[in-house]
Amino acid sequence: MASTNSRKRILLLLKLLYEKTDEEHPLTTSDIFSYLREQGITLDRKTFREDITFLIEEMGFDIVMIKSSPNKYFWGERKFELPELKLLIDAVSSSQFINKTKSKVMIDKLMTLVSEGQQEQLVRNVFGTGKRKSDNKRICYIVDTINDAINQKKKIQFKYYEYNSIKEKVFRNNGEVYTISPYALYWNEDNYYMVGYSDKRQTVTAFRVDRLYNLEIIEAKAEKKPKGFSISDYGNKIFQMFGGEETIVQLECKNELMKYIIDKFGLGAETEEKTDETFVAKVPVELSPTFYGWVFQFAGKMKIIGPAEAVEQFSDMINLSSR
């Protein structure tokens, strides 16, 4: 019985320090003794010191003692620092592809990684940005299944749905069952996509993960990636400036737009100063409505100055939209 009581005492002591204490919320020896008495456990100071020494020196827990009258104790270093948890909570809370219920469950779990006193500092970050949230309650399991299929090098099957004009879910191609060799998960503009090879279409394609239905891994071995295939290149083509032939375009920009050039094309983008107020960027893009729409959003602060084909197409689009 003594051995059982010892184990219970050690675990209760560990639980108390982990859940209730941190640097700003230490507990005194008297606080700890009172808690243990409430749990039906009494101990003397010698046994308590031995328990603390065991947890620190033999088990490696970062329990800190503040020498005072009386001594105080708190749990030191944790897996995540508060700023790190705030970032994770904000990401989960504002993510569109995680529905509201799952977001709350995940945030509640993240908050157990700190003391109760520190949780108060995280509460203000629980509320999201008001973005639309996914209505797919199984998104986490779908992502996990796709990842398993990629690791196992096996194909997956699923149906894919979209929405009609009255917001009803409808299956694409009359409920066609897609067979895909998944290559990667791609996160773009707060949506998850699965990129893989389509048996039927004999090409690499992408699907919104939150719109997959009845996803399952099948025993068939996945097709190898096409020669020269790069998920990075594919992502840039499909999710950024897609729908046309790649062309080196010259953009004359106001200096204040440099951050947008870097965000879109990276620090390696070729740029040169033109005037005190402008610079020219030479970047590879797909000439398409998506690209022209991106330029248009800067309301004249970004101009296409070459090649002539791009200048002409952009002008035609502007003239068409103004009619």
Side-chain angles (χ1 to χ4, degrees):
M1 183 64 69
S3 177
T4 300
N5 285 338
S6 297
R7 289 197 294 269
K8 181 179 179 182
R9 184 183 70 243
I10 290 288
L11 290 173
L12 284 171
L13 176 59
L14 198 65
K15 182 174 184 291
L16 173 68
L17 291 170
Y18 184 82
E19 293 182 351
K20 302 291 186 181
T21 71
D22 57 67
E23 187 173 3
E24 297 180 0
H25 304 89
L27 290 178
T28 66
T29 307
S30 298
D31 294 331
I32 296 171
F33 278 35
S34 295
Y35 169 78
L36 292 175
R37 279 197 300 271
E38 292 173 2
Q39 309 303 315
I41 293 176
T42 57
L43 75 165
D44 54 40
R45 292 183 180 276
K46 178 177 180 297
T47 303
F48 174 68
R49 287 195 298 270
E50 291 173 349
D51 288 348
I52 290 293
T53 299
F54 169 74
L55 290 173
I56 296 173
E57 296 183 0
E58 296 191 39
M59 300 306 298
F61 292 109
D62 187 22
I63 297 170
V64 180
M65 181 183 74
I66 304 172
K67 290 186 177 181
S68 59
S69 183
N71 289 338
K72 298 178 181 179
Y73 301 84
F74 67 90
W75 194 285
E77 186 177 355
R78 294 175 183 264
K79 293 292 184 183
F80 290 95
E81 297 178 3
L82 276 176
E84 294 173 332
L85 279 174
K86 289 177 181 178
L87 285 175
L88 291 173
I89 287 174
D90 286 347
V92 170
S93 180
S94 61
S95 175
Q96 291 182 191
F97 69 83
I98 305 176
N99 69 66
K100 290 182 178 179
T101 301
K102 191 64 176 178
S103 289
K104 184 180 184 307
V105 170
M106 293 176 68
I107 289 168
D108 287 345
K109 290 179 179 179
L110 287 170
M111 292 182 75
T112 65
L113 298 175
V114 297
S115 71
E116 291 181 2
Q118 291 174 322
Q119 287 176 13
E120 296 176 1
Q121 300 180 52
L122 298 177
V123 170
R124 62 172 179 247
N125 295 309
V126 169
F127 303 99
T129 59
K131 288 184 178 181
R132 170 188 58 83
K133 300 285 279 183
S134 170
D135 64 349
N136 191 330
K137 297 179 179 180
R138 294 184 53 81
I139 186 69
C140 293
Y141 306 102
I142 293 172
V143 169
D144 196 44
T145 299
I146 294 171
N147 195 65
D148 287 344
I150 293 171
N151 290 338
Q152 296 171 24
K153 294 181 171 56
K154 291 184 178 179
K155 294 181 181 180
I156 57 175
Q157 286 187 336
F158 55 86
K159 292 183 179 181
Y160 192 73
Y161 67 82
E162 297 174 329
Y163 290 91
N164 62 17
S165 60
I166 56 175
K167 300 179 182 177
E168 293 176 330
K169 293 179 182 178
V170 291
F171 288 116
R172 181 188 284 182
N173 294 331
N174 297 317
E176 174 186 345
V177 176
Y178 292 83
T179 301
I180 303 291
S181 299
Y183 295 152
L185 288 160
Y186 198 99
W187 194 346
N188 179 69
E189 294 187 353
D190 216 12
N191 285 311
Y192 247 138
Y193 294 83
M194 182 273 297
V195 177
Y197 186 84
S198 168
D199 284 3
K200 181 176 180 180
R201 292 161 182 78
Q202 304 249 310
T203 188
V204 176
T205 187
F207 296 86
R208 275 268 298 270
V209 168
D210 59 318
R211 294 183 181 171
L212 304 184
Y213 181 81
N214 273 0
L215 172 72
E216 62 177 347
I217 301 175
I218 61 176
E219 287 303 314
K221 187 176 180 180
E223 302 293 334
K224 292 183 178 180
K225 296 177 184 177
K227 188 175 181 180
F229 173 78
S230 163
I231 184 62
S232 178
D233 292 343
Y234 180 84
N236 289 335
K237 178 179 179 180
I238 297 300
F239 298 113
Q240 294 184 31
M241 307 300 183
F242 59 90
E245 183 179 351
E246 186 171 278
T247 305
I248 300 298
V249 170
Q250 298 173 54
L251 302 171
E252 182 178 346
C253 313
K254 293 287 188 180
N255 290 338
E256 65 200 71
L257 300 188
M258 179 61 81
K259 60 185 177 182
Y260 297 104
I261 293 294
I262 292 174
D263 285 346
K264 182 65 68 175
F265 302 103
L267 285 169
E270 183 181 347
T271 63
E272 60 182 25
E273 186 178 4
K274 184 171 184 180
T275 70
D276 290 341
E277 297 181 349
T278 64
F279 67 92
V280 173
K282 297 179 180 179
V283 294
V285 301
E286 308 275 344
L287 295 182
S288 68
T290 302
F291 165 63
Y292 296 129
W294 181 75
V295 173
F296 185 76
Q297 71 177 311
F298 296 110
K301 294 182 180 181
M302 179 183 294
K303 298 178 181 178
I304 303 172
I305 59 174
E309 175 190 10
V311 174
E312 183 178 347
Q313 288 182 9
F314 185 58
S315 178
D316 289 343
M317 280 195 63
I318 293 176
N319 291 335
L320 187 62
S321 63
S322 63
R323 291 177 185 174

